[in-house]
Amino acid sequence: MATQRSVKQIVGDLAFLDSSPFAKLLDSCLRSKSVSDTRRVHARIIKSQFASEIFIQNRLIDVYAKCGCLYGARKVFDKMSNKNVFTWNSIITGLLKWGFIDDASRLFASMPERDQCSWNSMVSGFAQHDRFSEALGYFVKMHSENFALNEYSFGSALSACAGLVDFKMGTQVHALLSKSRYLSDVYMGSALIDMYGKCGRVSCARRVFDGMRETNIVSWNSLITCYEQNGPASDALEVFVRMMASGIEPDEVTLASVVSACASLAAIKEGLQIHARLMRCEKLRNDLVLGNALVDMYAKCGKLNEARCVFDRMPIRNVVSETSMVSGYAKASSVKSARLMFTKMLERNVVSWNALIAGYTQNGENEEALGLFRLLKRESVCPTHYTFGNLLNACANLADLQLGRQAHTHVVKHGLRFRSGEESDIFVGNSLIDMYMKCGSVEDGCRIFETMVERDWVSWNAMIVGCAQNGYGTEALGLFKKMLLCGEKPDHVTMIGVLCACSHAGLVEEGRKYFSSMSKEHGLAPLKDHYTCMVDLLGRAGCLDEAKTLIEAMPMQPDAVIWGSLLAACKVHRNIMLGEYVAKKLLEIEPSNSGPYVLLSNMYAELGRWGEVVRVRKLMRKRGVVKQPGCSWIEILGHVNVFMVKDKRHPLNKEIYLVLKMLTREMKRVGYVPNASDDEAYEEQNGSNSTSDCQIDFQVETAIA
């Protein structure tokens, strides 16, 4: 108020000998950001002999622009009969500052002459408004027209390269910078580290940092953020320790990056130490960004009580804080708590929706995930590639081809092309392949694979495993050979698909060769799953002794799945001696699992050893082992009908049994005889009342609106 009174008084009372007092008054207006005071000074200038002076008019344009009054700045500019380069620079800088980029560009094009400041304003202004390609265009043209590049030119150009994730252009700017006197500037070093970090070139960023003569908080922060975003996150913590040892005090940017690194590593001990440090600093204790980082860190470390405690104590929360809690609850299988938090959110963004949809999918509540996607569409929230990835996973888990195809149409409508980049969406294409394969539509999966703009190793794995699981063993092996020719390295998942393909195709010798090649050619130590595939392959081929030898030579303890695979093979090939041995091993691991008892009982029955059958069943009763009932389901008109043995609650129970009796009569008429060793067949012989059946009936909405 005192400043306003003095401006009014001075402007009203004084006549000046030169324009410098007006310039000082305008400086005062700029400090107070007062447009009204600027207008008063302007009115006085108009009445003075300095009304046409270029210096004071330039100053007026500059102050109007910086106070946000572009109308006043443009009015002064347009009325000026004489303009110099400073006049043009002032109006262009003002337009750029307030986002009138195209207007600034048109004025720049009409400038009679330009200087270094004019070009820097354009490069900087376009970079600050995320128009990175155009910013670099101005930078290149500035250089080609032989204007001297300074720290402002280089800083803005490097920022644009970082925004575009353009490593090639970034290295060219670096090369230019290395020929200038600004290479040793600490801010240029920080900008280079930031650019290389954003481009994912960690080693380049580290080389720049190690070559810097002088470092400051910005350079340390840039390197820590580089490691936190690109990995290894453990190096971010190491750099932080070095920074502390060098006597530089961390700020909120440092600590936010370090806390995020702790979240990535699930390093709860280090996270607690950082939290303790924060609590001792009053300035940072209530910082919103740090609070959000702490909530996220505790949630990712599975410490939901601590996350909630930090969340509840935050004086200000935003959508990021609440989304972190939703994600934390969802990952900890507390989906109800996640939904409750989500429902209470006053503001939601697509990340919040994605967190809850992912939570439902990961916890097997796929129908809820689909329902939430429909709600997202109704609320006109634009889904992202992450949304589609989770949606397709839900369809795959339900093995619902109709829903999967509807989800695919949404992917097509959003123009996803399955390519890498800053917002890579290749994984959506991979999810589509996986969904079609799990729904049994191999042709659709192959079509997606062929039309993908880019593929990664996951794309190949989805195809190989999908073909193998659907019985296309030869095709899966053909894809594996193509994958190797394309230069992609196989991983453990690839080799599971390959061995599974050999098993389904009965290619024993090829399976042995591929299993051996894992360590010899691809540097992959076989895991338990690979041994399981080999046992299945050898078991199907009747090489039971070789399978037993392989199990006993495993570097890890065999589990029930591996022994169960061999026991099933023993039943198929009627090897009772080995079957008894394997069953004993299985029962040592899982004494309450009904599977080994049933298989062994069936094997005895096939050989007519009824006494052993009775003994096994008595042992089951003694140990309280109950055979799990068989279960099957079928979808008709959007209803999923689930049938379980000896359960008769289906509303069409009588009609179903009539059809079943008719089918049984027809089967027996053409010579069908139930297998006496098969428990289900045994129950079938004892009357239709014991066969099936009930339905647990629930409806799945079939439209993704």
Side-chain angles (χ1 to χ4, degrees):
M1 290 299 293
T3 305
Q4 286 184 350
R5 280 197 299 272
S6 65
V7 167
K8 286 179 186 177
Q9 186 178 355
I10 293 170
V11 170
D13 295 347
L14 295 180
F16 302 123
L17 299 175
D18 60 37
S19 64
S20 58
F22 283 121
K24 289 178 182 177
L25 283 171
L26 288 171
D27 286 341
S28 176
C29 295
L30 182 58
R31 282 194 296 272
S32 64
K33 299 289 181 187
S34 173
V35 175
S36 57
D37 283 349
T38 307
R39 284 177 177 146
R40 289 189 186 97
V41 175
H42 186 186
R44 187 65 183 85
I45 290 170
I46 291 169
K47 294 176 183 177
S48 74
Q49 69 267 36
F50 311 112
S52 301
E53 185 184 276
I54 294 178
F55 165 74
I56 203 66
Q57 286 179 315
N58 288 349
R59 199 76 195 92
L60 269 170
I61 293 170
D62 184 56
V63 173
Y64 269 131
K66 285 177 179 173
C67 289
C69 183
L70 289 176
Y71 172 77
R74 189 63 193 256
K75 196 172 179 182
V76 174
F77 176 83
D78 290 340
K79 285 185 175 180
M80 286 178 70
S81 53
N82 296 316
K83 301 181 180 80
N84 62 16
V85 70
F86 300 105
T87 316
W88 290 89
N89 287 348
S90 295
I91 190 66
I92 286 171
T93 302
L95 290 168
L96 288 167
K97 179 182 178 181
W98 296 102
F100 294 90
I101 310 296
D102 296 321
D103 290 340
S105 184
R106 280 190 290 272
L107 275 178
F108 181 81
S110 62
M111 282 181 77
E113 62 170 316
R114 303 173 184 127
D115 64 3
Q116 184 190 56
C117 181
S118 319
W119 286 100
N120 280 345
S121 294
M122 295 303 288
V123 178
S124 172
F126 274 81
Q128 286 169 5
H129 287 89
D130 295 347
R131 290 175 63 167
F132 304 120
S133 296
E134 291 154 289
L136 288 174
Y138 281 112
F139 176 80
V140 170
K141 203 167 181 185
M142 176 183 181
H143 179 58
S144 66
E145 293 192 13
N146 296 318
F147 282 92
L149 302 171
N150 62 11
E151 64 268 39
Y152 301 107
S153 327
F154 286 118
S156 298
L158 289 170
S159 174
C161 293
L164 289 171
V165 195
D166 191 337
F167 172 68
K168 186 178 178 182
M169 187 65 181
T171 54
Q172 291 177 21
V173 175
H174 189 178
L176 271 177
L177 179 60
S178 65
K179 296 174 185 175
S180 74
R181 63 190 177 90
Y182 302 105
L183 183 62
S184 58
D185 185 280
V186 66
Y187 295 102
M188 292 301 97
S190 302
L192 280 168
I193 295 167
D194 179 67
M195 182 273 292
Y196 282 126
K198 296 262 174 60
C199 292
R201 305 294 176 137
V202 178
S203 57
C204 296
R206 187 59 188 253
R207 265 198 305 275
V208 171
F209 182 84
D210 291 339
M212 289 175 70
R213 295 176 190 171
E214 177 193 353
T215 55
N216 63 8
I217 184 70
V218 179
S219 4
W220 285 98
N221 284 350
S222 297
L223 188 62
I224 290 169
T225 303
C226 172
Y227 280 121
E228 183 266 315
Q229 291 178 349
N230 298 289
S234 54
D235 284 10
L237 300 185
E238 288 178 20
V239 173
F240 174 68
V241 171
R242 274 186 57 199
M243 172 184 161
M244 297 286 289
S246 68
I248 294 181
E249 196 66 22
D251 61 8
E252 61 271 26
V253 177
T254 324
L255 295 170
S257 293
V258 173
V259 171
S260 294
C262 293
S264 302
L265 296 165
I268 187 64
K269 182 182 174 184
E270 290 80 359
L272 285 164
Q273 291 172 357
I274 303 295
H275 191 181
R277 182 182 183 87
L278 282 174
M279 294 306 291
R280 291 196 296 269
C281 180
E282 192 172 344
K283 186 179 79 170
L284 302 177
R285 194 180 299 160
N286 295 324
D287 185 89
L288 177 61
V289 174
L290 284 171
N292 289 343
L294 284 168
V295 171
D296 182 61
M297 183 270 294
Y298 281 123
K300 285 180 177 172
C301 291
K303 300 287 183 181
L304 285 179
N305 289 337
E306 288 81 352
R308 187 66 201 231
C309 186
V310 173
F311 179 83
D312 289 340
R313 287 179 179 174
M314 289 173 70
I316 301 170
R317 305 181 196 115
N318 63 6
V319 65
V320 178
S321 336
E322 293 170 322
T323 300
S324 294
M325 285 304 304
V326 170
S327 181
Y329 281 129
K331 285 177 182 173
S333 301
S334 301
V335 189
K336 285 185 180 177
S337 300
R339 186 61 180 260
L340 183 63
M341 173 69 72
F342 180 83
T343 305
K344 289 180 177 178
M345 290 174 72
L346 297 175
E347 178 194 354
R348 301 176 190 134
N349 59 20
V350 71
V351 181
S352 322
W353 289 89
N354 287 348
L356 190 56
I357 291 171
Y360 279 127
T361 307
Q362 289 159 10
N363 288 283
E365 297 188 32
N366 300 294
E367 293 89 354
E368 290 288 346
L370 295 173
L372 198 59
F373 178 77
R374 283 188 286 271
L375 187 59
L376 173 148
K377 294 292 287 181
R378 279 200 293 270
E379 293 197 11
S380 300
V381 177
C382 184
T384 66
H385 44 310
Y386 295 109
T387 320
F388 291 122
N390 288 311
L391 176 67
L392 290 165
N393 286 341
C395 295
N397 294 339
L398 290 169
D400 192 319
L401 184 58
Q402 185 184 353
L403 284 174
R405 283 185 170 143
Q406 290 181 45
H408 188 178
T409 60
H410 284 281
V411 172
V412 172
K413 284 177 186 175
H414 280 76
L416 301 184
R417 296 289 307 280
F418 319 135
R419 67 177 82 193
S420 58
E422 187 179 3
E423 289 292 322
S424 173
D425 58 9
I426 293 178
F427 72 92
V428 180
N430 298 339
S431 296
L432 269 170
I433 295 170
D434 180 61
M435 181 273 293
Y436 279 124
M437 290 298 187
K438 284 179 178 172
C439 292
S441 184
V442 177
E443 287 183 8
D444 285 322
C446 292
R447 198 175 297 116
I448 296 297
F449 182 76
E450 293 300 330
T451 56
M452 287 177 74
V453 175
E454 293 180 52
R455 303 172 188 136
D456 58 14
W457 54 272
V458 181
S459 320
W460 289 97
N461 284 355
M463 284 297 296
I464 292 166
V465 172
C467 285
Q469 289 177 342
N470 282 283
Y472 291 81
T474 307
E475 289 81 355
L477 296 178
L479 280 163
F480 177 62
K481 288 171 185 172
K482 284 183 184 177
M483 177 184 181
L484 296 178
L485 287 172
C486 288
E488 287 285 353
K489 289 188 176 181
D491 63 3
H492 287 97
V493 177
T494 320
M495 298 312 296
I496 287 173
V498 168
L499 294 173
C500 183
C502 292
S503 181
H504 283 290
L507 302 171
V508 180
E509 196 53 47
E510 286 83 348
R512 290 188 184 113
K513 184 190 80 174
Y514 286 125
F515 184 76
S516 174
S517 73
M518 284 184 65
S519 51
K520 291 180 181 176
E521 295 177 24
H522 307 302
L524 299 168
L527 304 176
K528 199 176 286 183
D529 288 337
H530 302 101
Y531 282 98
T532 304
C533 290
M534 278 304 295
V535 169
D536 181 61
L537 168 65
L538 295 169
R540 285 171 187 252
C543 306
L544 303 182
D545 291 329
E546 185 182 348
K548 174 178 174 287
T549 303
L550 182 67
I551 292 173
E552 290 172 342
M554 284 172 60
M556 71 285 293
Q557 200 69 22
D559 61 10
V561 176
I562 292 178
W563 286 118
S565 179
L566 183 54
L567 182 58
C570 290
K571 179 185 181 298
V572 171
H573 296 286
R574 299 192 172 194
N575 190 330
I576 189 65
M577 280 186 62
L578 184 57
E580 288 176 327
Y581 170 80
V582 174
K584 183 181 176 184
K585 290 284 186 184
L586 256 175
L587 293 175
E588 285 174 4
I589 299 170
E590 290 186 344
S592 60
N593 183 358
S594 63
Y597 296 98
V598 173
L599 277 172
L600 193 58
S601 172
N602 290 346
M603 289 171 71
Y604 284 135
E606 282 183 1
L607 297 171
R609 293 168 60 175
W610 301 107
E612 295 294 340
V613 173
V614 172
R615 183 182 65 78
V616 171
R617 294 196 174 218
K618 279 184 178 177
L619 186 61
M620 284 180 72
R621 283 195 293 273
K622 182 181 176 183
R623 293 180 176 176
V625 178
V626 179
K627 180 181 178 295
Q628 293 299 314
C631 177
S632 60
W633 59 90
I634 184 170
E635 182 181 338
I636 300 172
L637 298 176
H639 284 74
V640 177
N641 302 277
V642 181
F643 299 96
M644 299 187 75
V645 171
K646 296 183 181 179
D647 202 345
K648 298 183 291 184
R649 287 175 291 172
H650 195 285
L652 299 174
N653 185 48
K654 290 180 181 178
E655 291 87 340
I656 290 170
Y657 278 123
L658 279 173
V659 175
L660 183 59
K661 283 178 181 177
M662 182 186 72
L663 287 171
T664 305
R665 277 199 305 271
E666 287 297 312
M667 289 165 67
K668 287 180 178 177
R669 189 175 62 79
V670 296
Y672 164 70
V673 179
N675 187 342
S677 69
D678 189 336
D679 276 13
E680 264 77 16
Y682 172 79
E683 289 170 353
E684 176 202 310
Q685 280 183 303
N686 285 285
S688 61
N689 286 341
S690 64
T691 311
S692 289
D693 176 13
C694 153
Q695 164 190 5
I696 301 166
D697 186 17
F698 59 95
Q699 184 171 9
V700 178
E701 292 180 59
T702 55
I704 302 177

